[in-house]
Amino acid sequence: MGYLGNHLATITTGIFAAVLTGLWPYFIDFAPILNFVFIMAVPITWFLTFTCWISQKSTDYMHKHASSHAQTEKKSLSSSQTIQTTTSGNQVTLSEIKQIQSELSTELNNLKESVKLKDGEIERLNQEISNLQTLVQIESLKTELANLKMLASKRK
């Protein structure tokens, strides 16, 4: 984040606005068109400075709020022993998930012997089994394994 705290655009625009404001009195009598240019440029640059400052404050607030929310969510997931699905409200303990993972892994290994699956497909399914966390994921993986079993029975 540095010394400026991500306010580089604000500081740069502010310095430019200050320089324009400081130069304006020296160029008032130089040419009438320059007076018009300064009348237009000085308020616009100060407005841009204010806009940069407000947008950076908003971004800082949102990132601080989002990161604290994400950390709280991670803590609550890692410390809890049950995971609740949002659709059915059923709770599954981590030990049940581990048991289901082992059952699905053995089922996949048995299926691998009967069906000549590609190694990439087997690796993908093993990865999905190791990443199971919700009942929805478990059910979708069981459905996929059932489909593979049907393919295996049709080939015999």
Side-chain angles (χ1 to χ4, degrees), residues 42-92:
V42 169
I44 290 171
T45 54
W46 282 115
F47 174 75
L48 286 173
T49 302
F50 177 73
T51 304
C52 287
W53 180 76
I54 287 292
S55 66
Q56 186 60 50
K57 284 293 188 183
S58 172
T59 303
D60 291 345
Y61 174 78
M62 291 305 292
H63 283 176
K64 182 176 79 171
H65 181 68
S67 67
S68 67
H69 179 69
Q71 288 174 353
T72 305
E73 189 174 308
K74 283 180 185 176
K75 287 179 185 175
S76 68
L77 280 179
S78 64
S79 65
S80 69
Q81 290 297 316
T82 60
I83 300 171
Q84 184 172 2
T85 61
T86 57
T87 56
S88 64
N90 295 335
Q91 290 187 350
V92 180

Side-chain angles (χ1 to χ4, degrees), residues 85-88 132-142:
T85 61
T86 57
T87 56
S88 64
L132 287 177
Q133 292 182 349
T134 64
L135 287 175
V136 174
Q137 291 174 332
I138 291 169
E139 292 303 318
S140 69
L141 198 57
K142 283 183 179 179

Side-chain angles (χ1 to χ4, degrees), residues 17-150:
V19 167
L20 282 178
T21 304
L23 289 177
W24 191 4
Y26 294 112
F27 288 102
I28 282 181
D29 295 328
F30 187 70
I33 191 73
L34 277 178
N35 192 30
F36 177 73
V37 168
F38 278 104
I39 287 173
M40 297 303 288
V42 169
I44 290 171
T45 54
W46 282 115
F47 174 75
L48 286 173
T49 302
F50 177 73
T51 304
C52 287
W53 180 76
I54 287 292
S55 66
Q56 186 60 50
K57 284 293 188 183
S58 172
T59 303
D60 291 345
Y61 174 78
M62 291 305 292
H63 283 176
K64 182 176 79 171
H65 181 68
S67 67
S68 67
H69 179 69
Q71 288 174 353
T72 305
E73 189 174 308
K74 283 180 185 176
K75 287 179 185 175
S76 68
L77 280 179
S78 64
S79 65
S80 69
Q81 290 297 316
T82 60
I83 300 171
Q84 184 172 2
T85 61
T86 57
T87 56
S88 64
N90 295 335
Q91 290 187 350
V92 180
T93 62
L94 292 177
S95 61
E96 290 173 343
I97 289 180
K98 295 291 183 193
Q99 179 186 1
I100 292 170
Q101 285 177 341
S102 64
E103 290 172 5
L104 290 174
S105 292
T106 56
E107 196 173 328
L108 180 63
N109 288 334
N110 293 338
L111 190 61
K112 180 173 68 169
E113 294 170 3
S114 63
V115 178
K116 301 299 179 201
L117 290 177
K118 298 178 194 168
D119 289 334
E121 183 72 14
I122 293 171
E123 278 301 314
R124 184 187 65 79
L125 289 173
N126 278 327
Q127 186 66 28
E128 284 185 27
I129 289 171
S130 65
N131 291 333
L132 287 177
Q133 292 182 349
T134 64
L135 287 175
V136 174
Q137 291 174 332
I138 291 169
E139 292 303 318
S140 69
L141 198 57
K142 283 183 179 179
T143 305
E144 194 169 340
L145 285 174
N147 290 338
L148 287 173
K149 283 181 182 178
M150 284 182 9

